[in-house]
């Protein structure tokens, strides 16, 4: 008996509390910057595609919803020929972002991805690639890597010596 | 058996091993780089350190390199000692000082031994602040990519390339931390085994250039056990597929056959599978326009039922590059009497070979046995070009005799640099008799160059020398008889002699001579090996199945006794003179061709049926040893492509044939019943085989993209295809443990992502796979009984006055037509040419490298001329590959004329 009354009392008190329900979409909720929402592919500070098509995000994905194919421009730079995420399978775990060695793939704080047709949840590279560096404005993988690409020869990466002259006899 | 103590526990190990080998065989994980089971120890990388103790009381111990320390009885070591663990972590840290930040863009990533060893030792954070040394790369040609920054100076590459494979154009340069592994200058790696650098190098310095063009990580490749189809040796391979195309070929260890290595033709010849020229649907010749037009499956079945009515006069032409199943299906459909196989000459040769192996006392050795033999006599084969991996085996065989000497000094055979130092340039007996100089001649004790008949005479003379009961050669001449005596002596004084010959010289007498020589050795009490080379992957299988010669098929057509021919995976124009084939096909009312690529034969077909390649079908090939080996479908073909035997099965259904098969196993059961020597039942486990109720997955457990790869077509994932033909599944689900060796879809083990994981699949590291190496030997020599030598010693060769004798010159890149569709192989293929001796060139007035007109068998063409002084007088060599004279059965007499 007592517990019944206590329950009713508690409910009564709630009537005077502040309302938590938000009138979405008229009113937008606050989404923290580390929110794991719609996935994008970013560009490096030079404006080039950051993704080097290493397949690490794809293999990290627990639902296997990322697939891509690596290709190479004529100067050694790797990029994905196609890059597809099936968002109807994605669980927004963020493992891909964590696996990505180049900061290319990032989860954003956009969650408004509802579709009437499931097929529309399949995003290709055109749908994923943004024009900026996203959360990591500085990082440029190719400045760190030993691979030479157009505009960056051997020995020009961060912390690299000039290439060895194999015919040099000096000790 | 010595007992060693590892962390105070006793273990029994094999005699004469080093500690690393012994510990890895016992299942311990010791990180290592420079040691390789096929190339032994040099102690270059300092990674394999363990702590050795003098006795039980010794607690201090000393750090030793396990690969350089014998596993002698009573040895006490510790792998887990904290000091030695730290030592190993330090070594990795040093190796990593200059290592680039490349893994994401490195093709080795995910199957990198350096990654595995780094994880194993626990080094995970870069502490050094210094700069990294860098290197410039070289362009090493179409097969191997070079990224020198990633090198950890283990010296494996140069040891393989120079010491193991005999390459000259690759070396190590410079000193200290500048050492550089490459060529003196940019340029194509010349060695036929250069592709093995990809697997030998524990890092991403050398990677597969063909894979790079459609790069896929190991974990994303769907793989199945397969067999190379580019020559008769049948090396075991692991082809990998992604998104419906074949991406690469990797070695599949088979201790008896290819061991750790493949040749470049086998590794890079796969790209025909992806060719845009592939026949992907049936074609039927339109009656009005006379053109081949695409047709549906139903239309083609209708066509088949209209021509294969009861009593139709149908013949079938099989193929030495089609599986046993496909050939057998055709043979069943048309009847054994109407089944045709080789051209006349090849049929005679293959029959002689089978006769020699079945009814003689000599056994056909496996490649491993050849590598272990201590005296070899090669008769009429350019081994490097007709059976490449056999050449690699021979390079090891010449070391056997000197190694015995070195062993007497007390040098353990695993101590590679000491052994090589002890051997110096000494070589064991290898005698090579051929029509012209070959690459292996550099290893030979003696060589002999002559026309095929003269080579055969030498073989007969050797046999007679060994056993006077063998037929004698009349008037051999002093040169030949003394050479024969020396060869006979060398073979007689060896323990495991091998005689090698084959089909490529086109001479039946050579087959007879080689058999006589080996048999004569057997009569002297030697366990002699007799090895015959065939150029096609299933030539021996087709030979064992039987069938009449193509020439008989042609005459049957001539006589009007047949009007319909089914041609299976065979371009007749490659096997017979084109005017004969023209006549045959023009007379034929219905030509049905089952093949995977268009050819000159398909151009004349009334119906073309699209067949699977080796990567898309199951099947059995019988290699030159007589070993039946099963290959498995790597991926399901698209469009209307299906197995040749399934097309033939359809044909049998529509023609109301009493026999029918549902699965590959059914047809294997049929073959085993009908052709007793082809008892293929236990070549591999049947389709119903399960481990713990599960199939064996073709996809690694980390296969990615399953729910996205088809999402562009439909967001609803398709069901994985079923495989009724084998115990493998097209999925990542299934039994993850160790399947039986014929069903090994890949080598992977926890912590061992690279090819080195094969260690875990062997009963002893470097030894046979657990459960035995795959394949089943079908032919064993006759036991006891009298040896009936082949008679018919040919007369010695007489140069013609007007005509020259044309012999084939094989090329590893160029003589196998399917591999030519790989751009890399095409790049390495020479243009067609003829070669003759300086004397003949001068007498024909052909100066320099100019052109000449060659005419033989009613055909002629102009070809550039190379001078090769090793060719005997009166003999001209013709490039064996696609030239206007393709299809002519060599050797034969022809004319060469100077062109104006
Ligand atoms: S992990 Fe990053 S760089 Fe690698 S494929 Fe994915 S997005 Fe591209
Ligand atoms: S060699 Fe291995 S460790 Fe080095 S970059 Fe390549 S994958 Fe990474
Ligand atoms: S290139 Fe590869 S195999 Fe050769 S020394 Fe360097 S790491 Fe070793
Ligand atoms: S030796 Fe022959 S079977 Fe072996 S890989 Fe080369 S072509 Fe293939
Ligand atoms: S493996 Fe022993 S020193 Fe390299």
């Amino acid at each position: 008996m007592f517990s019944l009354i206590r329950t009713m009392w508690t409910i009564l008190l709630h009537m005077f509390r502040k309302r938590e329900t938000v009138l979405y979409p008229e009113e937008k909720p606050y989404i923290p910057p580390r929110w794991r929402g719609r996935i994008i592919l970013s560009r490096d500070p030079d404006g080039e595609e950051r993704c080097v098509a290493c397949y690490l995000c794809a293999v990290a994905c627990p639902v296997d919803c990322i697939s891509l194919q690596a290709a190479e421009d004529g100067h050694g730079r790797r990029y994905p020929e196609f890059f597809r995420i099936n968002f109807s399978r994605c669980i927004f775990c963020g493992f891909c972002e964590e696996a990505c060695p180049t900061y290319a793939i990032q989860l954003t704080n956009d969650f408004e991805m509802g579709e009437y047709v499931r097929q529309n949840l399949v995003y290709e590279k055109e749908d994923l690639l943004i024009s900026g560096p996203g959360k990591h404005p500085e990082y440029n993988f190719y400045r760190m890597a030993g691979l030479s690409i157009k505009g960056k020869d051997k020995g020009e990466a961060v912390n690299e010596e000039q290439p060895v002259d194999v015919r040099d006899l000096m000790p | 058996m010595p007992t060693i103590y590892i962390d105070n526990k006793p273990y029994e190990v094999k005699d004469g091993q080093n500690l690393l080998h012994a510990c890895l065989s016992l299942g311990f994980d010791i990180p290592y780089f420079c040691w390789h089971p096929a190339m032994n120890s040099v102690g270059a990388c300092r990674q394999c350190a363990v702590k050795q103790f003098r006795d039980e009381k010794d607690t201090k111990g000393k750090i030793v390199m396990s690969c350089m320390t014998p596993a002698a009885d009573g040895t006490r070591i510790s792998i887990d000692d904290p000091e030695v663990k730290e030592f190993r972590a330090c070594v990795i840290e040093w190796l990593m000082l200059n290592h680039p930040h490349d893994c994401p863009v490195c093709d080795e990533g995910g199957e990198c031994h350096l990654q595995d060893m780094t994880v194993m030792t626990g080094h995970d954070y870069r502490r050094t602040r210094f700069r990294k040394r860098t290197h410039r790369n070289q362009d090493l040609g179409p097969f191997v990519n070079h990224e020198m920054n990633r090198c950890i100076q283990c010296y494996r590459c140069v040891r393989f390339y120079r010491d193991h494979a005999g390459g000259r154009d690759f070396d190590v340069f410079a000193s200290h931390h500048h050492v550089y592994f490459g060529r003196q200058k940019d340029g194509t790696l010349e060695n036929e085994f250069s592709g093995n650098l990809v697997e030998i190098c524990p890092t991403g310095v050398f990677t597969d250039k063909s894979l790079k063009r459609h790069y896929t990580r190991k974990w994303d490749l769907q793989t199945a056990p397969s067999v190379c189809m580019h020559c008769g040796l049948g090396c075991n391979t692991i082809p990998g597929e992604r998104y419906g195309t074949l991406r690469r070929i990797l070695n599949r260890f088979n201790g008896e056959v290819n061991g750790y290595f493949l040749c470049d033709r086998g590794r890079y010849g796969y790209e025909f599978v992806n060719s845009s020229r592939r026949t992907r649907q049936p074609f039927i010749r339109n009656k009005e326009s006379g053109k081949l037009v695409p047709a549906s499956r139903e239309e083609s079945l209708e066509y088949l039922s209209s021509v294969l009515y009861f009593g139709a006069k149908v013949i079938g032409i099989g193929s030495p590059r089609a599986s046993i199943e496909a050939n057998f299906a055709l043979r069943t459909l048309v009847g054994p009497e109407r089944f045709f196989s080789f051209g006349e000459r090849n049929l005679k040769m293959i029959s002689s070979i089978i006769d020699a192996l079945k009814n003689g006392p000599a056994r056909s050795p496996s490649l491993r046995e050849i590598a272990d033999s201590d005296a070899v006599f090669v008769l009429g084969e350019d081994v490097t070009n007709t059976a490449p991996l056999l050449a690699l085996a021979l390079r090891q065989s010449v070391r056997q005799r000197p190694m015995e000497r070195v062993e007497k000094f007390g040098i353990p055979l695993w101590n590679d640099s000491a052994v090589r130092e002890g051997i110096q340039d000494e070589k064991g007996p290898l005698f090579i008799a051929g029509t012209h100089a070959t690459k292996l001649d550099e290893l030979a004790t003696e060589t002999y160059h002559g026309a095929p008949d003269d080579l055969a005479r030498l073989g007969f003379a050797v046999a007679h020398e060994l056993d006077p009961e063998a037929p004698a050669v009349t008037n051999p001449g002093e040169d030949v008889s003394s050479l024969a005596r020396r060869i006979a002596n060398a073979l007689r004084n060896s323990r495991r002699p091998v005689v090698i010959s084959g089909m490529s010289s086109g001479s039946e007498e050579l087959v007879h001579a080689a058999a006589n020589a080996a048999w004569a050795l057997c009569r002297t009490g030697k366990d002699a090996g007799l090895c015959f080379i065939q150029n096609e992957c299933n030539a021996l299988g087709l030979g064992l199945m039987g069938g009449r010669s193509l020439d008989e098929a042609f005459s049957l057509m001539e006589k009007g006794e047949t009007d319909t021919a089914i041609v299976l995976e065979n371009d007749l124009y490659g096997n017979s003179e084109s005017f004969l084939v023209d006549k045959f096909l023009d007379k034929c009312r219905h030509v049905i061709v089952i093949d995977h690529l268009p050819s000159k034969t398909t151009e004349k077909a009334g119906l073309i049926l699209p067949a699977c390649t080796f990567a898309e079908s199951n099947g059995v090939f019988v290699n030159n040893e007589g070993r039946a080996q099963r290959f498995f479908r790597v991926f399901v073909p698209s469009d209307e492509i299906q197995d040749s035997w399934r097309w033939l099965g359809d044909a049998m259904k529509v023609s109301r044939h009493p026999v029918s098969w549902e699965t590959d196993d059914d047809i294997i059961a049929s073959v085993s019943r009908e052709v007793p020597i082809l008892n293929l039942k236990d070549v591999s486990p049947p389709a119903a085989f399960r481990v713990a109720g599960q199939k064996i997955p073709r996809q690694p457990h980390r296969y990615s993209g399953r729910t996205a790869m088809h999402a562009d077509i439909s967001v609803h994932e398709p069901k994985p295809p079923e495989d009724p033909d084998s115990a493998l599944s097209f999925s990542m689900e299934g039994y993850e443990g160790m399947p039986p060796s014929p069903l090994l879809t890949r080598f992977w083990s926890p912590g061992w992502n690279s090819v080195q994981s094969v260690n875990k699949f062997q009963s002893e590291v470097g030894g046979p796979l657990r459960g035995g190496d795959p394949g089943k030997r079908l032919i064993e020599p006759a036991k006891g009984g009298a040896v009936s030598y082949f008679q018919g010693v040919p007369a010695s060769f007489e140069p013609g006055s007007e005509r020259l004798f044309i012999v084939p010159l094989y090329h590893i890149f160029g003589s196998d037509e399917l591999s030519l569709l790989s751009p890399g192989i095409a790049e390495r293929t020479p243009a067609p040419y003829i070669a003759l001796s300086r004397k003949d060139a001068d007498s024909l007035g052909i100066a320099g490298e100019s052109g000449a007109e060659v005419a033989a068998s009613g055909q002629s063409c102009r070809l550039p001329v190379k001078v090769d002084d090793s060719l005997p007088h009166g003999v001209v060599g013709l490039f064996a590959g696609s030239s206007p004279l393709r299809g002519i059965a060599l050797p034969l007499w022809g004319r060469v004329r100077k062109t104006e």
Side-chain angles (χ1 to χ4, degrees), chain A residues 52 54-56 58-59 63-70 72 78 82 84 86 88-89 101 118-119 122 124 139 141-142 144-147 153-155 159-164 166-167 170-171, chain B residues 100-102 104-105 107 129 131-137 147 149-150 173-174 176 178 180 184 212 214-215 217 219-220 243 247 702-709 711-712 714-717 732:
Chain A
V52 299
C54 69
Y55 295 97
L56 287 176
V59 72
V63 290
D64 291 340
C65 74
I66 303 178
S67 92
L68 66 147
Q69 173 59 52
E72 198 183 283
R78 299 273 179 113
F82 76 83
R84 183 179 310 131
N86 178 357
S88 79
R89 287 287 186 193
R118 200 177 142 203
Q119 186 69 44
V122 178
E124 298 289 339
Y139 190 69
F141 171 78
Y142 280 110
M144 308 293 156
L147 219 60
D153 201 0
K154 292 277 173 204
N159 250 342
E160 271 188 358
E161 303 265 12
Q162 277 304 301
V164 163
V166 176
R167 288 179 177 73
M170 295 306 281
Chain B
H101 184 65
D102 267 2
V105 285
D107 286 358
R129 293 168 285 115
R131 289 165 173 260
K132 295 177 181 179
R133 69 103 178 78
T134 60
H135 279 299
R136 293 212 177 276
N137 304 326
E147 187 60 42
N149 280 353
R150 300 171 186 154
F173 302 92
H176 54 93
H178 285 178
Y180 188 90
Q184 193 261 342
K212 193 168 188 254
H214 38 223
Y215 183 66
R217 295 244 181 251
W219 63 63
D220 279 343
Y243 303 140
R247 299 300 169 104
R702 283 167 57 182
Y703 193 78
S704 81
R706 184 175 43 89
T707 63
M709 55 203 287
D712 55 333
S714 161
V715 73
H716 306 283
E717 288 107 40
M732 53 211 277

Side-chain angles (χ1 to χ4, degrees), chain B residues 437-448:
Chain B
T438 65
K439 202 166 170 183
L440 271 188
D441 286 9
E442 65 187 27
L443 298 182
T445 321
E446 282 190 71
T447 59
Y448 173 77

Side-chain angles (χ1 to χ4, degrees), chain B residues 330-393:
Chain B
L330 181 57
R331 180 179 177 268
T332 312
L333 172 66
V334 296
E337 276 311 299
R338 305 178 80 85
F339 178 68
F340 300 85
S341 55
F342 297 92
E344 183 112 48
R345 194 190 305 225
N346 280 347
L347 184 63
K348 274 202 189 131
M349 269 195 286
I350 198 89
S351 312
S352 286
I353 289 175
I354 292 170
D355 179 24
L357 294 179
K358 243 174 36 185
N359 303 325
R363 182 173 180 277
S364 69
S366 69
L367 278 182
R368 181 190 58 76
E369 288 164 326
I370 294 174
D372 281 345
S373 65
D374 59 347
V376 180
F377 178 29
V378 180
L379 200 51
E381 282 285 329
D382 178 358
V383 176
T384 313
N385 288 309
T386 57
L389 223 71
L390 182 56
L392 195 65

Side-chain angles (χ1 to χ4, degrees), chain B residues 96 99-103 106 108-110 112 114-115 150 202-205:
Chain B
M96 282 299 198
H99 202 74
H101 184 65
D102 267 2
C103 294
C106 177
E108 196 83 354
C112 175
L114 178 58
Q115 280 180 336
R150 300 171 186 154
T203 73
V205 175

